[in-house]
């Protein structure tokens, strides 16, 4: 099984004050501390801005019952709490024993503190059930990684009914607001905000996959104190691509806390004597620089720790993808015609999407049969790939390895390989079923099919799709009481396949796509290089979605194609330049049917792609400032990406529609070096005529720039460069 935790290159200092029994982690700008109280419980003591090294945190106080109804364990900010001893709030861990006992009271047993962090071993008061709580903090971002491992050292099995990576307590305050992301297919990444009241808010997926309905990310800010650029924000994300749950609650005395881990709904994992279960990692951070500061920390953390090639992930090439041009009607001549045109634009990677294998002429057949369709490609993929390589591009291929159509050789041979309940109907979604990757034979078949494809063909990139969620989550070959292990073992095997492919083909790059943004999380991000955030390619809808996405994930993985106008989603017409500018906020791709383009389109696209290449390092690796948010019906939106060395900044400004001859508001930049002088160049649109040719960073940030936009769906792109 692939390890779930990602090691940090540089961990924050971890110390234990043995007199006060206080553990402490100090990263840049953040301190996290917890202590052992007199009853042996672990209490949270501090999570927030950095304390001085010589500040002494008081020992954890004695926990007291609030009343006979509200026991100490339900009203004390505990680090990890078992369901037992009368617990009335969300447990971190719940287990059952064969004799019917369902009571777990965890007490401190021992600990280790090392350069990598802290591990605290907890033990149940009556049985040999142990839990290791792992803490590590990334020094540069102060982002804390928490996970847990339960170990059964009893002489019979125990069943884990519910298990979180962590419970995190926020400082006691009344005015918290919760922000999180919701969505649905083609409408992902909607930012939600609500006050944190007494009671529980549940963010979750029960679908065997991350899901776009809720993304496993959240931020908690303080009403009136926090805005985009100022004020405290606590944030977190769960690195898990299966069913998950994050609960945010405020107990009856007002303690706010977050508990994140496996979704307990329909969960159950039996452990034999000696066995362990590890949780995914919950990453949690703090910023006092508002929502913008929080997301910049998260982005920095992703590029320096999470991505497969961190801390120097490769820049995303400009790609062409055939899906919206041809759908399933791919063949050698048609793909070559598109590739020849794409190459003239400056495209660096040509990706053939769905339709190239088995009997895949529509979405009713072929999934599972990963052999080239010889009616469409009589000599295999070789001639197309040679052509693409000859045109100076890399070749990429679409696959959807976890799925099978009933109309496929694979399903005919192995109907037992899909997730199903014995003698029950098997629901289909997009005419397909989900293979049970938890099974070793299925896991090995998938690896073998992909390995063959990659060995025989010069493939630089796989777009890994996943177009439905689970149903009937059974594993009939397992004993009834062990079938729910599928929720853990499937995802671990998925990670194993990714890791194994990357080991065998170190240059291979992979995109995580799930009919759009259905599987985006820090777990899959550790094994893939880029993400397809949504099937919705309308450039205006995208602005909002890209804004939502950027709260949790970095623009440097967010693929954004320029496709046809009117757009297939909503029939909205926009200019090619507008579409390019919208896509240039992330990783640029083209997905239109180039056979329909006129010479002016080619000229525009070539110019925009060249301009993108001149700023891509800044957009993909720089710091993002959301200057004007497109959320909440705003007519305008503005983003600014500033390079790590602050010598370049890329400004994108968009107008939905202007209703009167309104004055163009001034845009004040952020994040520049106030003392450096910057000139500017226009990628598209024009700055006001009286804009100085060069000015200091202080001028652009404190005075600003006007970029007039009038009409519907207008946009401009301006690049600032140190002179
Ligand atoms: C869903 C993806 O999101 C699309 O981009 C495309 O690859 C289709 N699947 C192909 O079936």
């Amino acid at each position: 099984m692939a390890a779930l935790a990602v090691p940090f290159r540089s961990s924050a200092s971890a110390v234990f004050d043995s007199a006060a029994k206080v553990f402490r982690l100090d990263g840049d700008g953040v301190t996290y501390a917890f202590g052992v109280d007199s009853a042996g419980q672990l209490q949270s003591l501090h999570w927030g801005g950095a304390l001085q090294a010589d500040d002494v945190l008081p020992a954890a106080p004695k926990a007291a019952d609030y009343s006979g109804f509200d026991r100490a364990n339900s009203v004390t900010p505990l680090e990890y709490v078992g369901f037992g001893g009368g617990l009335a709030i969300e447990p971190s861990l719940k287990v059952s024993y064969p004799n019917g006992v369902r009571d777990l009271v965890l007490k401190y047993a021992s600990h280790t503190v090392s350069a990598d962090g802290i591990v605290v071993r907890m033990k149940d008061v009556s049985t040999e059930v142990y839990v290791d709580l792992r803490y590590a903090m990334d020094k540069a971002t102060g982002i804390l990684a928490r996970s847990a491992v339960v170990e059964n050292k009893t002489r019979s099995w125990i069943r884990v009914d519910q298990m979180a990576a962590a419970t995190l307590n926020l400082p006691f305050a009344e005015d918290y607001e919760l922000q999180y992301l919701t969505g649905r297919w083609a409408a992902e990444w909607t930012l939600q905000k609500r006050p944190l009241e007494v009671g529980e808010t549940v963010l979750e997926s029960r679908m065997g996959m991350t899901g776009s309905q809720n993304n496993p990310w959240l931020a908690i800010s303080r009403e009136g104190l926090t805005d985009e650029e100022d004020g405290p924000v606590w944030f977190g994300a769960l690195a898990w691509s299966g069913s998950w749950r994050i609960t945010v609650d405020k107990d009856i005395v007002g303690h706010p806390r977050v508990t994140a881990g496996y979704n307990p709904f329909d969960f159950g994992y039996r452990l034999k004597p000696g066995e362990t279960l590890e949780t995914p990692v919950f990453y949690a951070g703090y910023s006092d620089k508002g929502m913008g500061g929080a997301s910049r920390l998260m982005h920095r953390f992703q590029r320096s720790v999470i991505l497969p090639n961190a801390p120097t992930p490769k820049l995303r090439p400009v790609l062409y993808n055939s899906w919206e041009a041809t759908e399933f009607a791919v063949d050698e001549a048609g793909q070559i015609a598109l590739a020849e045109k794409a190459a003239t634009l400056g495209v660096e990677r040509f990706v053939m999407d769905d339709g190239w294998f088995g009997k895949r002429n529509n979405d009713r057949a072929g999934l599972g049969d990963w052999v080239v369709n010889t009616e469409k490609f009589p000599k295999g993929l070789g001639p197309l790939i040679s052509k693409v390589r000859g045109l100076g591009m890399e070749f990429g291929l679409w696959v959807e390895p976890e799925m099978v159509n009933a109309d496929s050789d694979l399903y005919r041979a192995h109907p037992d390989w899909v997730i199903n309940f014995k003698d029950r109907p098997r629901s289909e979604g997009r005419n397909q079923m989900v293979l049970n990757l938890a099974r070793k034979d299925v896991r090995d078949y998938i690896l073998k099919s992909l390995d063959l494809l990659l060995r025989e063909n010069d493939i630089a990139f796989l777009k890994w799709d996943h177009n439905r969620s689970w149903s009937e989550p059974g594993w009939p070959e397992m004993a009834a009481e062990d079938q729910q292990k599928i929720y853990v073992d499937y995802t671990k095997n998925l990670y194993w396949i990714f890791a194994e492919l990357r080991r065998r083909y170190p240059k291979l790059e992979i995109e995580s796509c799930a009919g759009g943004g259905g599987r985006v999380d820090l777990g899959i991000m550790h094994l893939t290089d880029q993400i397809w955030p949504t099937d919705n390619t309308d450039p205006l809808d995208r602005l909002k979605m890209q804004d939502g996405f950027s709260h949790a994930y970095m623009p440097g993985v967010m693929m954004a194609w320029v496709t046809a106008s009117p757009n297939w989603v909503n029939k909205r017409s926009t200019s090619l330049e507008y579409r390019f500018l919208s896509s240039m906020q992330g990783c640029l791709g083209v997905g239109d049917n180039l056979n329909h383009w006129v010479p002016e389109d080619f000229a525009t696209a070539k110019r925009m792609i060249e301009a993108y290449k001149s700023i891509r390092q800044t957009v993909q690796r720089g710091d993002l400032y959301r200057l004007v948010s497109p959320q909440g019906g705003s007519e305008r939106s503005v983003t600014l990406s500033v390079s790590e060395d602050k010598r370049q900044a890329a400004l994108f400004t968009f107008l939905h529609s202007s209703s009167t001859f309104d004055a163009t508001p001034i845009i004040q930049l952020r994040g520049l070096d106030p003392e450096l002088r910057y000139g500017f160049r226009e990628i598209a649109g024009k700055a006001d005529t009286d804009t100085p040719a060069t000015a200091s960073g202080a001028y652009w940030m404190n005075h600003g720039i006007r970029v007039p936009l009038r009409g519907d769906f207008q946009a401009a792109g301006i690049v600032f460069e140190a002179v």
Side-chain angles (χ1 to χ4, degrees):
M1 297 272 181
L4 295 178
V6 179
F8 293 149
R9 256 166 215 88
S10 168
S11 294
S13 88
V15 291
F16 179 60
D17 169 353
S18 54
K21 295 199 178 146
V22 170
F23 296 91
R24 187 170 153 167
L25 292 136
D26 288 278
D28 291 355
V30 181
T31 297
Y32 187 92
F34 57 98
V36 187
D37 68 17
S38 52
Q41 303 181 107
L42 282 194
Q43 285 192 36
S44 310
L45 297 177
H46 182 88
W47 178 25
L51 308 177
Q52 291 294 325
D54 57 2
D55 285 331
V56 178
L57 277 152
K62 186 171 168 16
D65 289 354
Y66 179 81
S67 71
F69 308 103
D70 304 294
R71 306 281 159 66
N73 58 2
S74 303
V75 293
T76 306
L78 296 178
E79 287 283 294
Y80 202 84
V81 60
F83 172 73
L87 188 81
I89 56 161
E90 194 63 45
S92 318
L93 180 62
K94 175 175 180 293
V95 301
S96 321
Y97 298 85
N99 60 2
V101 169
R102 301 178 314 284
D103 189 71
L104 183 80
V105 178
L106 296 170
K107 295 280 168 82
Y108 167 87
S110 62
H111 72 266
T112 53
V113 176
S114 71
D116 296 332
I118 298 167
V119 179
V120 179
R121 194 157 176 79
M122 310 282 286
K123 182 188 171 303
D124 175 53
V125 286
S126 313
T127 63
E128 295 289 305
V129 172
Y130 291 84
V131 185
D132 284 348
L133 305 184
R134 298 177 181 158
Y135 296 79
M137 186 182 273
D138 177 46
K139 185 174 179 327
T141 57
I143 290 182
L144 176 72
R146 282 198 56 186
S147 60
V149 184
V150 58
E151 183 177 3
N152 176 13
K153 294 183 92 172
T154 72
R155 271 186 263 144
S156 52
W157 58 261
I158 61 166
R159 182 185 144 105
V160 180
D161 298 316
Q162 172 163 357
M163 189 173 184
T167 292
L168 285 133
N169 296 278
L170 280 76
F172 193 103
E174 300 284 341
D175 51 5
Y176 284 115
E177 287 183 317
L178 170 67
Q179 301 200 37
Y180 56 103
L181 290 160
T182 61
R184 57 182 191 276
W185 175 74
E188 296 90 340
W189 310 110
T190 306
L191 195 61
Q192 308 283 358
K193 191 177 194 175
R194 62 162 79 164
L196 198 61
E197 309 282 13
V198 171
E200 191 166 282
T201 304
V202 176
L203 311 176
E204 67 172 350
S205 160
R206 300 178 172 193
M207 307 187 307
M209 60 183 291
T210 321
S212 46
Q213 291 68 14
N214 280 182
N215 187 270
W217 166 89
L218 82 171
I220 299 175
S221 53
R222 292 191 56 190
E223 192 197 343
L225 283 184
T226 310
D227 59 23
E228 178 64 18
E229 290 300 334
D230 269 311
V233 180
W234 293 258
F235 56 93
L238 185 70
W240 185 243
S241 312
S243 292
W244 58 272
R245 192 169 92 171
I246 301 177
T247 54
V248 188
D249 72 282
K250 217 169 165 183
D251 66 28
I252 47 99
V253 295
H255 288 123
R257 62 167 75 73
V258 175
T259 301
Y262 293 125
N263 195 327
F265 178 83
D266 195 36
F267 190 81
Y269 205 101
R270 285 208 310 174
L271 297 176
K272 290 193 207 121
E275 285 186 340
T276 59
L277 176 65
E278 178 187 2
T279 68
V281 178
F282 186 66
Y283 293 100
Y286 170 80
S287 169
D288 59 7
K289 303 206 169 42
M291 294 299 291
S295 56
R296 283 188 291 278
L297 275 181
M298 199 57 154
H299 298 169
R300 199 171 312 154
F301 179 66
Q302 288 160 15
R303 59 184 186 258
S304 61
V305 175
I306 295 290
L307 283 180
N309 295 310
T312 48
K314 277 200 277 158
L315 290 177
R316 297 297 84 221
V318 176
L319 66 71
Y320 178 82
N321 178 291
S322 64
W323 174 246
E324 289 197 25
T326 62
E327 297 208 334
F328 300 97
V330 296
D331 62 22
E332 191 178 299
Q335 292 293 300
I336 286 179
L338 288 169
E340 281 170 340
K341 294 188 174 81
T344 67
L345 302 176
V347 164
E348 297 157 316
R349 176 178 284 168
F350 181 87
V351 183
M352 177 161 66
D353 212 279
D354 203 348
W356 58 268
F357 54 92
K359 297 263 177 304
R360 189 72 170 165
N361 298 317
N362 49 52
D363 63 16
R364 293 188 296 281
L367 286 175
D369 301 340
W370 299 108
V371 285
V372 180
N373 179 319
T374 46
E375 279 164 34
K376 299 175 179 180
F377 299 91
K379 294 188 183 137
L381 298 178
L384 170 63
I385 296 179
S386 305
K387 182 72 190 178
V388 167
R389 301 293 287 132
L391 288 164
M393 298 181 291
E394 291 178 339
F395 181 78
L397 194 64
W398 179 96
V399 289
E400 192 177 2
E402 298 155 77
M403 301 290 164
V404 67
N405 287 114
D407 186 1
S408 68
D409 292 343
L410 184 71
Y411 190 68
R412 282 183 280 273
H414 298 287
D416 53 325
W417 276 13
V418 301
I419 297 179
N420 74 95
F421 283 128
K422 196 167 180 307
D423 302 329
R424 303 279 310 167
R426 301 169 177 201
S427 307
E428 296 189 4
R430 206 195 188 202
N431 307 305
Q432 62 198 51
M433 288 166 276
V434 187
L435 290 169
N436 184 357
L437 251 69
R439 287 174 58 137
K440 189 171 171 304
D441 48 2
V442 174
R443 182 197 83 171
D444 291 347
Y445 168 79
I446 292 176
L447 180 69
K448 200 169 139 210
S449 322
L450 295 172
D451 183 75
L452 197 65
L453 258 179
L454 294 167
R455 202 168 346 121
E456 290 183 346
N457 298 288
D458 183 4
I459 294 172
F461 168 80
L462 291 178
K463 171 177 171 179
W464 187 298
D465 210 342
H466 181 97
N467 280 296
R468 60 158 293 183
S469 50
W470 293 10
S471 55
E472 299 92 24
W475 184 354
E477 297 73 26
M478 289 290 262
E481 28 328 340
D482 285 325
Q483 288 199 18
Q484 285 149 313
K485 285 188 170 177
I486 193 170
Y487 284 109
V488 174
D489 293 3
Y490 180 110
T491 302
K492 285 190 175 171
N493 276 349
L494 175 70
Y495 290 168
W496 181 87
I497 296 173
F498 280 131
E500 188 55 20
L501 283 175
R502 299 194 78 100
R503 190 187 67 75
R504 293 185 191 183
Y505 302 93
K507 290 196 181 137
L508 178 72
E509 296 198 338
I510 305 174
E511 174 174 289
S512 172
C513 169
R519 195 159 61 186
V520 186
D521 58 78
L522 295 183
I524 208 138
M525 204 187 232
H526 180 52
L527 295 157
T528 55
D529 304 86
Q530 60 189 53
I531 278 158
W532 182 232
T534 173
D535 275 357
N536 184 339
T537 49
D538 173 73
L540 178 66
D541 285 2
R542 276 262 177 165
L543 292 180
K544 251 193 197 174
M545 287 192 261
Q546 291 173 178
D547 179 88
F549 183 97
S550 77
H551 280 76
Y553 304 107
M554 55 183 271
V557 294
M558 181 185 74
M559 297 310 297
W561 306 342
V562 172
T563 62
S565 173
N567 188 275
W568 69 274
V569 175
N570 49 24
K571 305 287 173 255
R572 182 181 286 123
S573 297
T574 51
S575 72
L576 188 54
E577 206 169 73
Y578 182 93
R579 281 175 269 156
F580 263 101
L581 289 169
S582 169
S583 293
M584 284 159 82
Q585 287 188 327
C587 306
L588 182 62
V590 177
D592 198 0
N593 190 339
L594 302 179
N595 298 320
H596 298 163
W597 279 21
V598 297
E600 292 75 28
D601 296 333
F602 282 96
T604 304
K606 209 172 156 190
R607 178 168 57 78
M608 299 303 276
I609 288 174
E610 205 178 307
Y612 180 73
K613 288 177 182 168
S614 76
I615 55 167
R616 100 170 111 186
Q617 171 85 28
T618 298
V619 171
Q620 295 186 13
R621 299 284 170 268
D623 279 334
L624 176 71
Y625 293 84
R626 294 179 291 257
L627 299 184
V628 179
S629 163
Q631 306 290 342
S634 164
E635 288 290 314
R636 293 173 183 278
S637 72
V638 185
T639 62
L640 180 78
S641 301
V642 180
S643 64
E644 278 174 299
D645 64 4
K646 295 181 184 285
R647 297 192 64 81
Q648 189 187 63
L651 177 77
F652 296 105
T653 170
F654 301 87
L655 175 70
H656 175 262
S657 60
S658 55
S659 47
T660 54
F661 252 27
D662 44 359
T664 303
I666 200 145
I667 301 169
Q668 289 167 327
L669 309 193
R670 283 186 170 269
L672 302 183
D673 180 339
E675 286 169 19
L676 271 181
R677 281 197 86 71
Y678 297 84
F680 71 92
R681 65 185 158 89
E682 289 136 340
I683 292 178
K686 290 263 171 261
D688 234 6
T689 44
D690 60 1
T691 310
T694 67
S696 67
Y699 178 94
W700 300 119
M701 291 193 288
N702 299 330
H703 181 79
I705 182 171
R706 276 182 214 280
V707 186
L709 296 176
R710 295 233 161 75
D712 294 346
F713 315 128
Q714 298 296 310
I718 313 272
V719 183
F720 295 82
E721 243 133 6
V723 289

